[in-house]
């Protein structure tokens, strides 16, 4: 038994070091760690619901390590994007997600990859959880041909299977997501759509139009408001007559929960998914979360909030630290093991950044392509009347 | 016997039903069909052909369409395929575009394209641009249809022509049918097209009957998007038009023919991509060009055609400057006499032709 466990642990550790980094062989084996533990999670505020998600969550070691790795990858990827932006290698808009990792990771843990998801422009984290690689995300940010959208979309327009972006127009993604949910119901595949928006977007009229239709037609849609307290530079109290975003669906049942706790987010998402899949129609979740960066890279993020506030959230509620503390204090992982993951993540990001800065930009003859899908080639008028460019699907 | 059976079966819709599909082999080849019925046939056939096609819009189901275009479709296809929406254009347009992204093929009806202004963000930013922005990952197969442009007595907020607005946008196809055959063939092509298509109908044309050839009665009758049609051949002047104004051009051509002036009337059929080749070929023959439209003059369809003629081979063939005949540059008035004088009439086209030809 002992021998088998040692072999298993070596295999696990070997597969964890994909990039061939030197494996730090720890003296502890798989058998030493707690395979799973149960954690108390905060109770959700409920709206038009008799009961809410469970008050406890079971976390296995594998899950914990996976959530840790993904959140850390997301964190490091966003920080690297910050660096590249300051070096002017990334241009235009760049809205970073660091601080909000538990939302993206927790949501994905509560649904399946065969479900659907759409969000607004703070989308790099979701592109990752929905199957994008760090390489193709970073190369899209730097506008290279290896980018997930071939360099033609940029930060706000990344897509993967069952992930509909990345949307630049605030609030527009909400009816789009309900439309995806309509397709899910129409095609009868028991899939649902997670439809995200921020506290700023929550006041958009089209969102209320969407609540109405989603409810009327019982669309399998989970509306999720990521309330990070600020819509660009406007705090929630200055933008919304009611900051109880989870109640603003009115006739739609809602939950408000701690968006910094990945387990809380996961359990609430599972609860919401169950609600949708049982044909009860849409449900609304408000995740209370926080972004460390400003609205975008052009916003230092301190003219409308204090550095002390940012620091306080970092020290008391950081999602990655929270998970790490839980795992360490319950003997679910070792400090070295987590450090190893950090090293691997750092390397993955470095490699991706290297690719993203050296991959060439898309060729000029790609300029006019992808206007129409499944169409015969056509001519596109160029900058002057003699410039006739070619477009293929 | 079959004939009798069909009359008994279809009740008050007996005659058109008999003429239309199943029994045309025993009847004369061409039949009279209104534009409204042609659109409905196209919708019916495409709904039948592809499970993923569905209709949504205000009053399209129970009410049978504000202009009765979708009469009978809800009874035939039910709630799942024909969806009545609340009066929330931006919301239901977004939902339709999202459904298209997830693989369905929605046909969105606007009770009037004037209401589509509320949805323009979704038509352009969510539909038209997406295939490009995603580097080819996310196509959007959707049709936006409804009455566009002038309608009698509806006044300023309900009479605007959006051909130039939508025609401006890369990533959209914009179609503007005139006849029943146009409407049927182009709508079928639009629905089968894997890209966002704006389909501009016109209320004035809904009740106008046209002869439909036997070929056009087939369930697979398609008119390609992007090809104009020469409705009337002539040697002296080219009139280019779209939608209901084509009727005016044809009437004006008949009047001018009495004076020995033969107009070539081109029905654009598609605004984007525009069939410049057809226009240039015609101009090279007639050496005179007049564009005729119901929309406003500034930055309009005619302006685009004239600019392209200037820049292309057609210019050196012109014997006179190419000109535009358009709606008056004002919001549409209500009073009948004022309204009549806001849109190109036969006399306006005749006058412009004679000025251009210097006769």
């Amino acid at each position: 038994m002992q021998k088998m466990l040692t072999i298993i642990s070596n295999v696990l550790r070997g597969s964890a070091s994909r990039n061939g980094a030197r494996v730090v062989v720890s003296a502890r084996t798989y058998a030493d760690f707690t395979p799973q533990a149960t954690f108390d999670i905060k109770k959700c505020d409920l709206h038009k619901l008799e009961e809410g998600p469970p008050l406890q969550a079971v976390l296995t070691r594998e899950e914990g390590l996976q959530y840790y790795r993904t959140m850390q990858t997301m964190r490091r990827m966003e920080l690297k994007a910050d660096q590249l932006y300051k070096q002017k290698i990334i241009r235009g808009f760049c809205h970073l997600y660091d601080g909000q990792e538990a939302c993206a990771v927790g949501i994905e843990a509560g649904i399946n990859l065969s479900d659907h998801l759409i969000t607004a422009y703070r989308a790099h984290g979701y592109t990752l959880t929905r199957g994008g690689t760090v390489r193709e995300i970073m190369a899209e940010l730097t506008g290279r041909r290896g980018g997930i959208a071939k360099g033609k979309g940029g930060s706000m327009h990344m897509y993967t299977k069952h992930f509909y972006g990345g949307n630049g127009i605030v609030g527009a993604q909400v009816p789009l997501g309900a439309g995806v949910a309509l397709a899910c119901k129409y095609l009868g595949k028991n899939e649902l759509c997670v439809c995200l928006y921020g506290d700023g977007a929550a006041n958009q009229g089209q969102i209320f139009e969407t609540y109405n239709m989603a409810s009327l037609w019982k669309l399998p849609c989970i509306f999720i408001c990521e309330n990070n307290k600020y819509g660009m530079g406007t705090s929630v109290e200055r933008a919304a007559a009611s900051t109880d975003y989870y109640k603003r669906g009115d006739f739609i049942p809602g939950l408000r929960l701690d968006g910094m706790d990945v387990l809380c987010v996961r359990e609430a998402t599972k609860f919401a998914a169950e609600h949708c899949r049982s044909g009860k129609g849409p449900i609304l979740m408000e995740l209370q979360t926080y972004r460390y960066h400003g609205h975008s890279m052009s916003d230092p993020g301190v003219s409308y909030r204090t550095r002390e506030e940012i620091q306080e959230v970092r020290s008391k509620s950081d999602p990655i630290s929270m998970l790490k503390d839980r795992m360490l204090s319950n003997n679910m992982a070792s400090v070295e093991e987590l450090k190893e993951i950090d090293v691997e993540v750092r390397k993955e990001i470095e490699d991706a950044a290297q690719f993203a800065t050296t991959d060439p930009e898309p060729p000029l003859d790609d300029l006019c392509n992808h206007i129409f899908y499944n169409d015969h080639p056509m001519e596109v008028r160029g900058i002057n009347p003699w410039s006739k460019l070619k477009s293929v699907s | 016997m079959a004939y009798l059976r069909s009359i008994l079966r279809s009740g008050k819709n007996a005659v058109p039903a008999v003429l239309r599909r199943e029994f045309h082999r025993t009847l004369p080849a061409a039949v009279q069909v209104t534009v409204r019925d042609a659109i409905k046939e196209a919708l019916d056939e495409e709904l039948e052909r592809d499970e993923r096609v569905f209709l949504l819009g205000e009053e399209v189901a129970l009410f049978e369409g504000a202009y009765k275009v979708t009469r009978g479709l809800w009874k035939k296809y039910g709630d799942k395929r024909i969806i009545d929406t609340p009066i929330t254009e931006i919301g239901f347009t977004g939902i339709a575009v999202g459904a298209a992204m997830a693989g369905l093929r929605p046909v969105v009806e606007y009770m009037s394209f004037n209401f589509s202004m509320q949805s323009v963000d979704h038509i352009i930013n969510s539909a038209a641009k997406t295939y490009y922005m995603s580097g080819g990952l996310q196509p959007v197969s959707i049709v936006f249809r409804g009455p566009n442009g002038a309608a009698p007595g509806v006044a300023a907020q309900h009479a605007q022509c959006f051909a130039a607005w939508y025609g401006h946008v890369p990533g959209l196809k914009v179609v503007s049918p005139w006849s029943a055959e146009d409407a049927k063939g182009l709508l079928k092509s639009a629905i089968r097209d894997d890209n966002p298509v704006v389909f501009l109908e016109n209320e004035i044309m809904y009740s106008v009957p046209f002869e439909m050839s036997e070929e056009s009665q087939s369930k697979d009758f398609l008119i390609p998007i992007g090809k104009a049609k020469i409705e009337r051949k002539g040697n002296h002047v080219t009139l280019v038009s779209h939608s209901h104004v084509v009727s005016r051009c044809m009437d004006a051509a008949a009047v001018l023919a009495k004076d020995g002036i033969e107009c070539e009337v081109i029905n654009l059929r598609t605004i984007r991509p525009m069939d410049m080749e057809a226009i240039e070929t015609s101009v090279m023959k007639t050496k005179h060009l007049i564009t005729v439209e119901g929309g406003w003059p500034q930055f309009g369809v005619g302006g685009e055609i004239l600019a392209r003629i200037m820049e292309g081979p057609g210019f050196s063939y012109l014997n006179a400057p190419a000109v535009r005949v358009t709606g008056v540059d004002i919001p549409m008035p209500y009073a009948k006499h004022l309204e009549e004088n806001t849109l190109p009439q036969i006399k306006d086209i005749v006058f412009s032709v004679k000025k251009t030809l210097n006769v």
Side-chain angles (χ1 to χ4, degrees):
Chain A
M1 184 63 172
Q2 186 70 0
K3 196 174 173 197
M4 188 171 76
L5 286 167
T6 316
I7 293 171
I8 292 172
S9 79
N10 284 335
V11 168
L12 283 173
R13 228 177 292 119
S15 66
S17 63
R18 267 174 273 122
N19 300 317
R22 268 198 72 215
V23 177
V24 175
V25 180
S26 79
R28 298 169 62 185
T29 65
Y30 180 70
D32 290 342
F33 293 120
T34 317
Q36 68 180 45
T38 305
F39 296 95
D40 288 331
I41 50 177
K42 288 201 205 112
K43 187 170 189 290
C44 301
D45 294 321
L46 301 177
H47 170 70
K48 297 234 162 89
L49 281 168
E50 292 297 307
E51 333 170 302
L55 297 173
Q56 292 190 316
V58 174
L59 178 71
T60 69
R61 194 180 114 83
E62 280 74 40
E63 284 168 348
L65 290 173
Q66 190 235 306
Y67 301 160
Y68 180 83
R69 180 185 288 274
T70 312
M71 289 202 283
Q72 193 67 294
T73 306
M74 221 179 271
R75 175 70 57 93
R76 298 252 128 243
M77 181 177 76
E78 297 294 79
L79 294 179
K80 180 52 92 179
D82 170 285
Q83 248 179 44
L84 292 175
Y85 194 92
K86 285 170 177 151
Q87 294 174 282
K88 296 196 182 357
I89 299 172
I90 297 178
R91 311 172 308 123
F93 293 125
C94 191
H95 308 86
L96 299 177
Y97 199 66
D98 50 315
Q100 299 186 214
E101 294 86 358
C103 297
V105 174
I107 289 170
E108 194 62 48
I111 58 173
N112 309 316
L113 265 175
S114 54
D115 290 315
H116 307 253
L117 191 141
I118 191 170
T119 185
Y121 47 76
R122 201 173 302 280
H124 310 156
Y126 289 99
T127 316
L128 191 68
T129 52
R130 287 261 105 195
T133 64
V134 182
R135 249 166 96 95
E136 51 192 7
I137 293 172
M138 301 215 76
E140 187 59 37
L141 290 175
T142 56
R144 308 301 164 102
R145 63 180 73 181
I148 203 167
K150 300 188 178 66
K152 291 171 114 170
S155 168
M156 298 184 291
H157 309 297
M158 303 194 190
Y159 300 77
T160 69
K161 185 159 186 252
H162 291 201
F163 173 56
Y164 305 87
N167 287 275
I169 307 296
V170 171
Q173 74 278 14
V174 178
L176 293 178
V180 173
L182 189 147
C184 289
K185 184 172 177 177
Y186 190 104
L187 295 168
K189 290 196 248 173
N190 198 26
E191 293 164 1
L192 54 82
C193 186
V194 174
C195 191
L196 291 132
Y197 55 96
D199 49 277
N203 299 312
Q204 274 259 318
Q206 57 186 316
I207 294 187
F208 293 90
E209 294 189 12
T210 307
Y211 289 158
N212 182 39
M213 285 182 272
S215 211
L216 208 51
W217 301 334
K218 292 208 167 3
L219 302 181
C221 200
I222 306 178
F223 296 110
I224 303 188
C225 177
E226 284 179 291
N227 177 3
N228 60 19
K229 301 190 174 53
Y230 300 94
M232 201 154 152
T234 307
S235 67
V236 293
E237 309 81 46
R238 291 178 60 230
S242 160
T243 55
D244 289 333
Y245 297 102
Y246 73 112
K247 287 186 184 168
R248 292 179 69 187
D250 189 11
F251 34 78
I252 299 182
L255 310 163
R256 178 170 57 192
L257 53 130
D258 180 6
M260 304 303 263
D261 178 353
V262 68
L263 293 179
C264 229
V265 177
R266 182 187 76 182
E267 292 310 309
T269 307
K270 281 186 180 163
F271 176 85
E274 165 60 37
H275 176 100
C276 281
R277 286 192 227 280
S278 63
K280 296 198 185 108
I283 187 167
L284 210 158
M285 283 167 50
E286 178 189 338
L287 307 185
Q288 294 188 305
T289 182
Y290 200 83
R291 53 165 163 80
Y292 296 143
H293 268 85
H295 164 72
S296 72
M297 284 305 297
S298 9
D299 170 26
V302 286
S303 58
Y304 49 87
R305 55 185 192 173
T306 62
R307 286 184 208 278
E308 288 73 44
E309 181 189 283
I310 306 170
Q311 201 32 51
E312 176 152 4
V313 176
R314 247 191 230 282
S315 53
K316 297 204 178 121
S317 321
D318 185 87
I320 301 177
S321 304
M322 197 189 299
L323 178 64
K324 184 174 176 180
D325 291 342
R326 274 181 166 150
M327 291 190 71
L328 291 176
S329 53
N330 284 272
N331 194 31
M332 296 179 79
S334 70
V335 171
E336 296 80 33
E337 193 175 15
L338 296 181
K339 271 213 178 78
E340 223 176 282
I341 293 178
D342 289 349
V343 167
E344 285 162 8
V345 165
R346 205 157 298 187
K347 180 155 200 320
E348 189 183 353
I349 305 300
E350 277 311 315
D351 285 349
Q354 178 65 10
F355 174 69
T357 46
T358 54
D359 198 39
E361 290 198 39
L364 216 47
D365 25 302
D366 201 35
L367 182 69
C368 298
N369 293 338
H370 311 115
I371 297 283
F372 291 132
Y373 174 57
N374 213 8
D375 222 28
H376 41 80
M378 64 179 194
E379 202 176 85
V380 170
R381 191 213 144 96
I383 292 180
N384 58 57
W386 303 273
S387 164
K388 296 189 190 345
L389 306 172
K390 193 141 166 271
S391 173
V392 299
S393 288
Chain B
M1 192 58 200
Y3 180 87
L4 264 175
R5 215 188 305 132
S6 82
I7 291 201
L8 293 167
R9 203 191 312 137
S10 16
K12 63 180 156 105
N13 290 320
V15 174
V18 163
L19 289 177
R20 207 165 309 129
R21 237 186 327 276
E22 305 90 34
F23 307 99
H24 66 261
R25 265 180 273 113
T26 62
L27 294 164
V31 296
Q32 291 274 318
V33 179
T34 61
V35 173
R36 172 188 290 110
D37 286 338
I39 295 171
K40 193 182 84 150
E41 269 175 40
L43 292 171
D44 193 353
E45 288 170 11
E46 296 306 300
L47 281 159
E48 195 173 68
R49 177 182 177 271
D50 189 341
E51 276 279 297
R52 299 167 298 168
V53 175
F54 72 99
L55 267 51
L56 73 166
E58 293 154 14
E59 312 301 345
V60 296
L62 256 88
F63 196 83
E64 303 200 299
Y67 296 100
K68 303 299 173 215
V69 174
T70 52
R71 193 204 306 263
L73 293 179
W74 175 68
K75 285 211 177 84
K76 184 171 175 185
Y77 294 100
D79 284 331
K80 180 179 171 184
R81 315 276 309 275
I82 317 289
I83 304 177
D84 271 338
T85 61
I87 308 171
T88 48
E89 271 76 7
I90 185 175
F92 71 68
T93 306
I95 285 180
V97 175
M101 287 181 176
L104 296 183
R105 303 185 78 92
V107 178
V108 182
E109 174 172 311
Y110 293 111
M111 202 181 282
S112 163
F113 259 94
N114 294 273
F115 310 155
S116 76
M117 276 202 281
Q118 305 216 325
S119 316
V120 145
D121 179 60
H122 281 296
I123 297 173
I124 295 177
N125 280 321
S126 306
K129 296 178 183 172
T130 296
Y131 190 61
Y132 186 87
M133 287 193 304
S134 65
L137 289 175
Q138 180 64 71
V140 182
S141 309
I142 190 167
V143 175
F144 305 100
R145 53 159 289 270
N148 173 62
V154 294
Q157 290 181 341
H158 290 70
Q160 187 174 336
C161 176
F162 288 86
W165 276 41
Y166 290 121
H168 190 55
V169 182
L172 280 185
K173 296 191 184 182
V174 181
V175 174
S176 184
W178 168 59
S179 65
E181 220 169 91
D182 285 355
K184 183 168 179 191
L186 288 169
L187 185 53
K188 286 167 77 73
S189 292
I191 294 173
R192 295 190 196 190
D193 200 305
D194 289 330
N195 298 286
V197 182
V198 171
F199 193 82
L200 304 170
E201 300 161 9
N202 185 267
E203 203 233 308
I204 299 169
M205 297 308 295
Y206 279 153
S207 302
V208 178
F210 285 83
E211 206 164 83
M212 295 263 283
S213 65
E214 186 170 345
E215 188 210 348
S216 69
Q217 290 162 58
S218 144
K219 282 189 188 179
D220 282 309
F221 171 67
L222 299 173
I223 292 179
I225 293 178
K227 287 272 168 276
K229 183 180 179 205
I230 300 179
E231 298 289 349
R232 183 189 193 281
K233 282 198 181 306
N235 286 321
H236 299 132
V237 62
T238 301
L239 298 178
V240 182
S241 185
H242 72 98
S243 192
H244 63 109
V245 187
V246 175
S247 303
R248 289 283 161 88
C249 289
M250 297 294 274
D251 295 339
V255 168
L256 286 161
K258 295 198 188 109
D259 287 337
I261 300 172
E262 294 301 326
C263 302
E264 181 143 289
V265 178
I266 298 182
N267 169 12
L268 272 177
R269 283 183 160 176
T270 303
I271 304 291
R272 182 175 187 115
M274 207 179 323
D275 189 354
M276 272 318 287
E277 206 185 305
I279 301 175
E280 269 165 7
T281 307
S282 178
V283 166
M284 289 186 205
K285 179 174 72 170
T286 65
K287 326 243 188 282
H288 297 86
L289 172 63
I290 302 180
T291 65
V292 191
E293 66 194 290
W296 291 321
Q298 267 199 255
F299 307 102
V301 174
E304 174 64 17
I305 294 174
L306 262 53
R308 290 209 211 178
I309 286 288
M310 285 283 278
E311 290 178 346
F315 172 70
S316 37
Y317 287 81
L318 285 173
N319 282 350
V323 296
R324 304 164 293 167
V325 169
T326 69
V328 178
D329 203 8
I330 54 172
M332 180 68 69
Y334 169 66
K336 188 150 193 254
H337 189 62
L338 294 181
E339 186 189 70
E340 274 167 1
N341 282 280
T342 306
L343 291 168
Q345 299 184 50
I346 297 171
K347 63 174 170 64
D348 298 307
I349 303 172
V350 168
F351 173 82
S352 303
V353 167
K354 289 188 169 165
K355 275 292 258 194
T356 300
L357 291 175
N358 209 10
V359 300

